[in-house]
Amino acid sequence: MTTDAMGFVVAAGATVVVLGASAYRFRSWLGSFLSPDEWRIYLKILAIVVCAVLLLVADVAADASGEGFIYGNF
Amino acid sequence: MFGSSYFWIVIAAAAVVMRVVPARMVRIRSLFLCFASCGLLVGPLGLAPSLLALVCACVAWIVVGVRLTGALAKRSTALASFAVFSPILILWVVGKAAVAAQSKTVSFLYFVGFSYLVVKAWTFVKDVHDGRIRGADPTVVAAYFLFAPTYVSGPMHLFSEFDAAVRQPKRLTVSALVDGTFRVAIGFAKTKLLGPLLAPASLLGLHGAEVGPMKLVVASMVYSVVLWADFSGYSDIAIGSARLAGVETPENFRWPYAAPNIREFWQRWHITFSRVLTSYVFVPVARALQGRLGARPRLVAVLAYLVTFLFCGYWHGATLNFVLWGLYHGVGMIGYDLLKADPKKLKRLSPRHKRARSLVMAFCTFVFVSIGWVLFVLPYREIVEVLR
């Protein structure tokens, strides 16, 4: 695993943890805006966008460097 | 196949056709799925047209065969099922043997998706002869065997599940659309990001030089995660795309490495294959043995486990490695059955002790399964070199 990839994973993981913890802390306040079902849909849409961006970044980086951003398996 | 834009255009078209064509015209729906799947198998998947013709011939034989053997099935369902299934089984075994022996003449018979087709064929033929399937529509049968999202690596849905899904596809609401797309996105993230990210630190990154037993164990534990990410990610994409197309398929993984014992691991890992192994191999073998061995339930269970897991290993590959891997899990299941704790004693434990016990057991199961993957990946001689 390259240093870039390691940093990438740590940053992504930390972001998810901070966002998750914040959402849990303010769950009653967030609940006043949307129902749990609506939140579920919006969070899934957010996850789809995050996955798409990550895949795109990995794809572009793989094209730029011969070996690939993570493992060159794109 | 999932990376091709053609695949997603076809899925979008299927999503429309499955919801627009009325339920009484189920043949139109299944014919669409058949032709679309054939296009995907020959196009993005790269299956040779001659092999697709062989697959179609197998499907045609199954449809005709179950009708021809209807009378025989009234006397012996096993014999009738075997009469239909044996030509396909022979082709598959010959192909596997050719690949194992590195013979190029007939190794083409071991083509992509054939192992899954064999399992589907056996379950379908057995279900028809046992009376669990009645009056199956040939076009739905063909769509069942050819359905592109699940053709290569499952999930192995049973015909009754597929038939019900084609006849009554779920409505494509916003929630269903987001759910399906989410499943696909998570699947791609697992297979394209998580798996490849960890692969160099796993068994796949070992190149034989200076690998000690400890490094091998650690690499096998990382490989456990890589394999889960790859296979469950693939299943996620298959389930998500099939769901978008209107065909619900069963789940294939349920946090397998959280299993507190090897038996539960097999109830959470490759679930659709495990249930086939249980219902179509373990139970019939155990019943047959019971008739011969009488009231010796432990011996019956031991032999049935060994037969089931040896078949499981052989199904994955015809080399010694895979057979040993199957045997390893079979012995694991037998060991668990013999040594498992008394449920009455477990009830007496405090909740904290129960939780701690579950965690330790889950870790032990994870290590056991991880070590098993060594047989799955490394050549037999390389493992012997490491252990020497």
Side-chain angles (χ1 to χ4, degrees):
Chain A
M1 199 187 296
T2 64
T3 318
D4 275 359
M6 184 72 89
F8 175 76
V9 172
V10 170
T15 310
V16 169
V17 169
V18 168
L19 285 176
S22 310
Y24 186 76
R25 174 71 183 78
F26 299 108
R27 62 189 183 284
S28 57
W29 180 69
L30 291 168
S32 63
F33 294 102
L34 296 167
S35 70
D37 269 355
E38 286 167 333
W39 271 116
R40 197 177 55 81
I41 289 177
Y42 283 112
L43 284 176
K44 281 187 174 175
I45 292 172
L46 182 68
I48 292 165
V49 174
V50 170
C51 285
V53 171
L54 287 177
L55 287 163
L56 203 65
V57 168
D59 212 11
V60 170
D63 283 346
S65 72
E67 290 181 5
F69 176 60
I70 292 171
Y71 193 51
N73 193 23
F74 295 96
Chain B
M1 178 171 65
F2 294 140
S4 117
S5 49
Y6 177 57
F7 175 82
W8 295 104
I9 292 168
V10 169
I11 290 295
V16 174
V17 169
M18 292 292 283
R19 272 92 177 189
V20 169
V21 174
R24 65 176 187 282
M25 296 165 87
V26 71
R27 284 188 177 169
I28 304 282
R29 287 179 185 173
S30 36
L31 280 175
F32 174 83
L33 290 179
C34 280
F35 286 117
S37 294
C38 286
L40 289 171
L41 298 185
V42 175
L45 187 65
L47 188 71
S50 52
L51 291 175
L52 178 66
L54 181 63
V55 170
C56 293
C58 287
V59 175
W61 163 244
I62 291 164
V63 171
V64 174
V66 290
R67 292 200 177 181
L68 289 177
T69 53
L72 180 61
K74 284 174 188 158
R75 278 184 282 164
S76 166
T77 54
L79 194 62
S81 301
F82 200 70
V84 181
F85 181 61
S86 51
I88 298 168
L89 181 69
I90 290 167
L91 289 178
W92 181 65
V93 170
V94 168
K96 274 176 96 77
V99 170
Q102 294 177 336
S103 151
K104 285 183 180 169
T105 42
V106 283
S107 58
F108 69 89
L109 282 173
Y110 192 53
F111 56 88
V112 65
F114 198 24
S115 295
Y116 280 81
L117 187 132
V118 164
V119 172
K120 279 183 175 179
W122 176 246
T123 57
F124 175 76
V125 170
K126 196 81 179 67
D127 282 352
V128 169
H129 284 148
D130 286 347
R132 284 187 290 271
I133 298 172
R134 287 175 199 279
D137 190 300
T139 58
V140 183
V141 177
Y144 167 66
F145 281 104
L146 295 168
F147 188 54
T150 58
Y151 174 83
V152 179
S153 292
M156 287 178 198
H157 39 190
L158 299 175
F159 177 77
S160 51
E161 293 165 340
F162 182 82
D163 189 46
V166 171
R167 287 176 195 279
Q168 274 194 318
K170 283 201 171 169
R171 284 184 59 217
L172 193 61
T173 57
V174 174
S175 174
L177 182 67
V178 171
D179 274 346
T181 315
F182 173 74
R183 235 12 229 279
V184 171
I186 291 292
F188 270 116
K190 279 184 190 170
T191 54
K192 296 280 187 190
L193 294 171
L194 185 61
L197 189 71
L198 296 173
S202 75
L203 292 172
L204 301 173
L206 298 180
H207 299 295
E210 292 182 28
V211 180
M214 198 57 213
K215 195 174 178 186
L216 194 68
V217 171
V218 173
S220 69
M221 286 159 84
V222 179
Y223 180 73
S224 288
V225 182
V226 173
L227 187 63
W228 168 80
D230 197 47
F231 195 8
S232 77
Y234 190 93
S235 293
D236 283 334
I237 302 172
I239 291 169
S241 57
R243 190 177 285 171
L244 289 172
V247 179
E248 280 290 317
T249 51
E251 288 298 330
N252 224 10
F253 290 86
R254 193 166 46 85
W255 301 108
Y257 296 131
N261 57 62
I262 189 67
R263 172 180 280 181
E264 205 172 313
F265 169 79
W266 278 103
Q267 289 166 352
R268 291 161 171 257
W269 177 273
H270 205 176
I271 298 167
T272 52
F273 184 50
S274 297
R275 68 178 180 171
V276 167
L277 286 179
T278 307
S279 307
Y280 295 86
V281 182
F282 181 83
V283 172
V285 168
R287 274 191 193 146
L289 288 172
Q290 227 163 10
R292 286 169 190 269
L293 298 171
R296 278 186 281 185
R298 273 216 170 143
L299 183 62
V300 168
V302 165
L303 292 175
Y305 275 133
L306 287 178
V307 171
T308 305
F309 278 95
L310 282 173
F311 170 74
C312 175
Y314 180 77
W315 182 84
H316 282 88
T319 58
L320 185 62
N321 277 58
F322 289 105
V323 175
L324 286 175
W325 173 79
L327 190 65
Y328 175 82
H329 275 273
V331 170
M333 290 287 269
I334 294 164
Y336 170 72
D337 255 15
L338 293 176
L339 304 172
K340 71 181 170 192
D342 183 4
K344 284 177 191 167
K345 280 184 186 169
L346 287 178
K347 272 188 183 172
R348 281 182 227 142
L349 292 175
S350 68
R352 187 190 279 183
H353 274 106
K354 269 186 196 165
R355 216 174 303 133
R357 188 181 178 279
S358 288
L359 279 174
V360 172
M361 292 288 285
F363 181 73
C364 291
T365 308
F366 175 68
V367 173
F368 177 82
V369 172
S370 299
I371 292 170
W373 296 135
V374 174
L375 292 165
F376 214 78
V377 178
L378 295 184
Y380 176 67
R381 282 179 193 161
E382 211 168 297
I383 301 168
V384 174
E385 278 297 311
V386 172
L387 296 175
R388 206 174 263 173

